[in-house]
Amino acid sequence: QKEVEQDPGPLSVPEGAIVSLNCTYSNSAFQYFMWYRQYSRKGPELLMYTYSSGNKEDGRFTAQVDKSSKYISLFIRDSQPSDSATYLCAMSDNNAGNMLTFGGGTRLMVKP
Amino acid sequence: EAQVTQNPRYLITVTGKKLTVTCSQNMNHEYMSWYRQDPGLGLRQIYYSMNVEVTDKGDVPEGYKVSRKEKRNFPLILESPSPNQTSLYFCASSLSSDRASTDTQYFGPGTRLTVL
């Protein structure tokens, strides 16, 4: 079993929909939770990070962490075709950049 | 322009022929890292460096070497490549090693390597 599980998709939604992307994990030591967005043929870019449990909002994006269930989510409101990309969750038990564990990524397609 | 560059972008080689993938950043970043990306497996960290002359193994270091002689460069060396090292490789850097997990990591454009 992988340490971080993520549904690969593809997830296809109409423009304007609310998108929910999720990851589950098994390592209870993880404290830092990140979401990356990767456009085709590009490197990933950090969208948001959350420390420990709770919610964090940034514009149309909301990240949620439920440590008791070992479950994290990224919500995208009013989705746009430009949100079409692969979304990767990542997590770590420290902030020192080592042993960052990524999920396999979920491919999202937002149709006009 | 602030960026991370990688060369070559595409490489096809044969088993056992030593190769180096270069990575350079112009942002005076402390932290640099190499990842490989394989379908369904996401990114896996190969090696990382907290600063000049400070490197350490990531998740999948076997078959790879790195060096950090200067702050801006972090080459990835495959001494004897094998077909299971066929992958998409990304170099990344971030400003501070203390916050490297949550700071913005700037990724290079990727190097697609095929080992026959």
Side-chain angles (χ1 to χ4, degrees):
Chain A
Q1 185 190 3
K2 286 190 238 175
E3 214 168 0
V4 178
E5 298 275 3
Q6 191 174 4
D7 188 327
L11 177 62
S12 182
V13 302
E15 184 175 353
I18 296 174
V19 175
S20 172
L21 303 164
N22 311 294
C23 287
T24 58
Y25 63 94
S26 55
N27 186 345
S28 57
F30 287 145
Q31 297 187 74
Y32 297 89
F33 303 91
M34 282 71 73
W35 284 97
Y36 283 79
R37 176 175 62 196
Q38 185 176 20
Y39 291 115
S40 183
R41 300 182 191 279
K42 299 281 189 187
E45 54 178 333
L46 179 67
L47 271 178
M48 301 179 69
Y49 81 89
T50 311
Y51 172 68
S52 194
S53 283
N55 294 0
K56 188 172 185 178
E57 191 173 317
D58 184 0
R60 295 185 294 114
F61 298 88
T62 300
Q64 275 187 1
V65 174
D66 181 349
K67 288 188 74 179
S68 62
S69 302
K70 297 192 181 70
Y71 188 87
I72 70 170
S73 300
L74 178 72
F75 297 97
I76 307 174
R77 288 184 299 282
D78 187 25
S79 56
Q80 304 294 310
S82 58
D83 294 328
S84 298
T86 296
Y87 290 79
L88 298 135
C89 63
M91 38 200 87
S92 177
D93 62 4
N94 65 78
N95 205 3
N98 55 316
M99 302 307 292
L100 203 60
T101 303
F102 282 82
T106 299
R107 188 167 156 232
L108 171 67
M109 296 188 297
V110 181
K111 302 202 167 174
Chain B
E1 182 193 348
Q3 60 183 351
V4 177
T5 56
Q6 292 178 230
N7 281 293
R9 295 288 312 279
Y10 302 92
L11 179 60
I12 300 174
T13 189
V14 294
T15 299
K17 187 175 180 184
K18 181 179 178 180
L19 67 92
T20 299
V21 184
T22 64
C23 172
S24 184
Q25 50 90 6
N26 62 0
M27 297 169 278
N28 201 36
H29 283 176
E30 271 187 352
Y31 176 89
M32 297 185 76
S33 181
W34 275 103
Y35 298 90
R36 60 177 289 174
Q37 187 172 33
D38 302 290
L41 295 178
L43 288 156
R44 291 181 292 167
Q45 192 177 49
I46 303 170
Y47 269 93
Y48 65 96
S49 170
M50 297 290 206
N51 215 323
V52 176
E53 302 289 4
V54 181
T55 63
D56 211 341
K57 296 176 182 178
D59 229 352
V60 288
E62 293 78 22
Y64 304 95
K65 283 174 59 176
V66 293
S67 68
R68 186 99 180 267
K69 293 185 170 56
E70 309 161 280
K71 202 170 186 179
R72 63 182 294 131
N73 295 323
F74 190 45
L76 179 70
I77 303 152
L78 285 72
E79 295 269 2
S80 183
S82 63
N84 64 12
Q85 292 177 299
T86 293
S87 187
L88 179 59
Y89 291 86
F90 287 101
C91 179
S93 72
S94 64
L95 181 62
S96 167
S97 291
D98 290 340
R99 300 182 306 275
S101 290
T102 55
D103 262 357
T104 297
Q105 281 201 43
Y106 292 82
F107 281 79
T111 295
R112 187 164 291 281
L113 172 66
T114 302
V115 183
L116 302 173

